[in-house]
Amino acid sequence: MTIANFQNGRRLLLGITGGIAAYKAAELARLLIQDSIEVQTVMTESACHFVGPTTLQALTGKPVYTQLWDDSINNSMAHIDLSRMADIILVAPASADFIAKIAHGLADDLLSTLCLARNCPLMVAPAMNRQMLENPATQRNLTTLQKDNIAILGPAHGIQACGESGMGRMLEPHELVEAVQNFFQPKSLQGKRVLITAGPTFEAIDAVRGIINLSSGKMGHAIAQAALEAGAEVTLISGPVCLTYPAVKKLIPVTSANDMLAAVKNEVSFNDIFISVAAVADYRPAISHTQKIKKSDNNLALELVPNPDILQYVANLPNRPFCVGFAAETENIDQNAESKRRKKNLPLLVANLAQEAMGADDSTLLLFDDNGKHALTKAPKIDQARCLIKYIATLYEQHHA
Ligand code: C5P
C-alpha cells in the first residue's frame, strides 16, 4: 500500500501525542475537515491509550498511521512520504515529552521522525500539568522550539484534568482551527508595512475622570490580525481596550488623541499603508485637572476644544502612505461616508452603522472608493477584516501599478 495522496488545496498533518487532551483532537479533526482542510492523522503509541485511531480514521476518512515500521507502506518511508504531503504539521496535543524530543531532534517514533524530516512549517499545541509546564526543562525546550521557528499555540489557563488549576490546558479546538486558518490566508501584503490606529481615545477631565466612547477596538485589532496573516509588518497604535493584542511587530498603547497623533507622527514615515480605525475623540477638555474635581451643588460647565484630526494630518503629508479611513455613522451612511472620503482625500473609506458595530463581534461594512460603493454583508469582524485586507491589497497594487 502507498500512502494516499492528499488532494489539492490545504493539507494538514495532525499529530496526536499522549495526554488527556487527545480526546479534543477528534473534535479538532472534525472542525478542520468542515473547513475543507484535508487531514492526515499520525498518532503516537501513548495517544492511542487516550483516543482510538478508529475514531480519527472515521472522522478524516483516511487511515491513521502510528508505526514507524509499518509493513503496509511499500517503501517503508512513512516518515518521509507523510511529511512531504502536508502543507503544515500541527501536533495537538503536544506532550512535555514530545516537546522535549523535537527540541533535541530526537526521532524514535513515526511522529517525531516525520517532524524531524519535514520541509513544511510545524505548529504545536502544548497540553500538560502546570508543574510540568513550569519545569525549567520544559521552559528551555519551548524556548528552543521558538528559536527553531516552530509555532507554539497556547497553552491556556484553567482547570486541569488532574484537578489542579493553572497554565497548561490545550487551546480549544476552535482556537487551533483559527491558527490553521491564519496559516492558509493568502499573503497579499507580504513585505508591506502597515500602520493601524484602533480603539477609543480617553480625554482626561481630571485625575480620575475622562471622556471616552463606545469603541471596543475589536475591528481595529481584527484588521491588525488580518494584516499580519496577510504577511504585513504591522504597527498597532491602540487606545485603551480590554482585548488580547495580536502579535504585531510593534504595539504602542496610547491614551488620548494627542498621544495617538504623537505616536502616528513617529511611525508614519516607515509605513506603506495607514489604516485609521480608531474612534478618535473629536474634542477634549480645555483643561485637564491634575487633582480630582470636588463635588458641589452647582452646575459644572466643561469647555471642550477640538482634537487634531490624525487621519487628515497623514493624508496631507507630501509622501503619504496609502490611507484608509473609517466612519461610524448613525444615519445617512452613504452621503456622510462619501463626503468624508472626499474631504479627507482618501482612496478608500470604510463605513458602518455605529449603533450596530460598536462593541459587537459582527459588523456590516460599506466600502467607498473611486469605483463607488461595495458592501460586505454582516459577518464576524475577523472575517470582515480578512476581506478588507484583500481589498486594500488590490487597491494598493492598482495605485502603485
Ligand atoms: O471625521 P470622522 O471623525 O468621522 O472621520 C473618521 C475617520 O477619521 C476615522 O478613520 C478616524 O480614525 C479618523 N479620525 C482621526 N482623528 C480624529 C478624528 C477622526 O484620525 N480626530
Side-chain angles (χ1 to χ4, degrees):
M1 177 178 127
T2 46
I3 295 167
N5 260 322
F6 282 109
Q7 311 288 295
N8 51 15
R10 308 179 304 166
R11 308 165 309 174
L12 178 139
L13 190 143
L14 174 61
I16 308 176
T17 72
I20 184 64
Y23 82 92
K24 293 187 184 174
E27 173 71 354
L28 172 61
R30 200 180 65 84
L31 293 176
L32 289 166
I33 300 250
Q34 265 178 13
D35 201 32
S36 308
I37 293 169
E38 256 189 283
V39 179
Q40 170 65 66
T41 315
V42 172
M43 297 172 68
T44 63
E45 197 192 326
S46 312
C48 298
H49 289 282
F50 290 93
V51 60
T54 316
T55 304
L56 273 301
Q57 178 162 344
L59 288 168
T60 62
K62 287 182 192 295
V64 172
Y65 295 96
T66 56
Q67 300 296 322
L68 192 53
W69 311 112
D70 192 328
D71 289 344
S72 66
I73 295 163
N74 291 346
N75 63 3
S76 293
M77 292 277 184
H79 60 293
I80 302 292
D81 284 10
L82 284 166
S83 70
R84 293 297 173 273
M85 288 172 186
D87 298 310
I88 187 161
I89 300 172
L90 167 63
V91 180
S95 64
D97 175 66
F98 183 77
I99 286 168
K101 273 196 213 171
I102 46 173
H104 292 87
L106 297 184
D108 62 354
D109 63 6
L110 177 58
L111 187 57
S112 55
T113 309
L114 72 86
C115 283
L116 193 63
R118 76 185 186 281
N119 61 357
C120 66
L122 172 61
M123 292 176 165
V124 297
M128 66 196 73
N129 165 271
R130 67 184 173 91
Q131 299 285 11
M132 292 171 84
L133 180 70
E134 281 168 24
N135 190 296
T138 307
Q139 289 300 314
R140 272 198 305 277
N141 291 333
L142 286 168
T143 307
T144 304
L145 261 53
Q146 268 168 340
K147 283 189 191 145
D148 290 348
N149 277 329
I150 295 170
I152 301 168
L153 311 177
H157 187 278
I159 305 280
Q160 305 201 303
C162 55
E164 295 181 10
S165 175
M167 286 297 280
R169 279 172 64 91
M170 187 174 86
L171 290 188
E172 293 304 324
H174 71 92
E175 295 173 296
L176 296 176
V177 171
E178 229 169 74
V180 172
Q181 284 169 337
N182 294 351
F183 169 78
F184 284 116
Q185 287 306 309
K187 302 294 171 233
S188 55
L189 288 180
Q190 192 71 51
K192 299 286 175 297
R193 293 155 307 172
V194 179
L195 179 63
I196 298 168
T197 62
T201 63
F202 176 89
E203 311 297 331
I205 297 170
D206 68 12
V208 295
R209 306 181 181 98
I211 299 173
I212 196 156
N213 58 61
L214 287 177
S215 168
S216 62
K218 285 180 186 169
M219 193 71 225
H221 284 232
I223 290 172
Q225 176 64 36
L228 269 182
E229 292 169 12
E233 194 179 281
V234 180
T235 299
L236 175 62
I237 302 175
S238 178
V241 292
C242 300
L243 297 172
T244 325
Y245 291 111
V248 293
K249 171 106 178 165
K250 195 166 183 185
L251 171 73
I252 309 174
V254 295
T255 305
S256 68
N258 272 328
D259 296 343
M260 191 173 269
L261 175 64
V264 167
K265 280 183 174 173
N266 280 338
E267 297 299 324
V268 69
S269 62
F270 308 117
N271 285 276
D272 305 297
I273 298 172
F274 176 53
I275 312 178
S276 180
V277 196
V280 185
D282 290 325
Y283 297 92
R284 68 178 182 280
I287 300 166
S288 170
H289 298 265
T290 49
Q291 300 300 327
K292 190 177 166 192
I293 300 171
K294 290 290 167 215
K295 186 166 68 175
S296 84
D297 292 335
N298 301 328
N299 288 357
L300 179 70
L302 200 58
E303 191 191 349
L304 300 177
V305 295
N307 265 332
D309 192 309
I310 303 167
L311 176 57
Q312 190 79 75
Y313 163 81
V314 175
N316 287 341
L317 289 173
N319 288 320
R320 70 178 198 169
F322 183 84
C323 290
V324 179
F326 263 72
E329 301 295 337
T330 53
E331 57 184 353
N332 299 334
I333 288 199
D334 290 21
Q335 263 171 286
N336 290 338
E338 186 55 21
S339 70
K340 232 168 239 186
R341 186 176 87 86
R342 290 184 186 281
K343 183 173 162 235
K344 298 198 184 190
N345 186 20
L346 305 172
L348 176 63
L349 185 124
V350 183
N352 54 28
L353 204 55
Q355 52 272 49
E356 246 184 51
M358 280 188 144
D361 290 326
D362 292 346
S363 71
T364 305
L365 299 183
L366 296 172
L367 280 45
F368 295 84
D369 61 24
D370 288 343
N371 299 318
K373 176 174 118 177
H374 322 267
L376 295 180
T377 51
K378 192 167 182 177
K381 284 182 175 171
I382 185 63
D383 294 343
Q384 299 292 53
R386 287 180 183 138
C387 289
L388 181 62
I389 284 294
K390 270 185 222 152
Y391 195 81
I392 291 173
T394 310
L395 274 192
Y396 176 89
E397 290 308 328
Q398 285 170 8
H399 274 245
H400 292 81

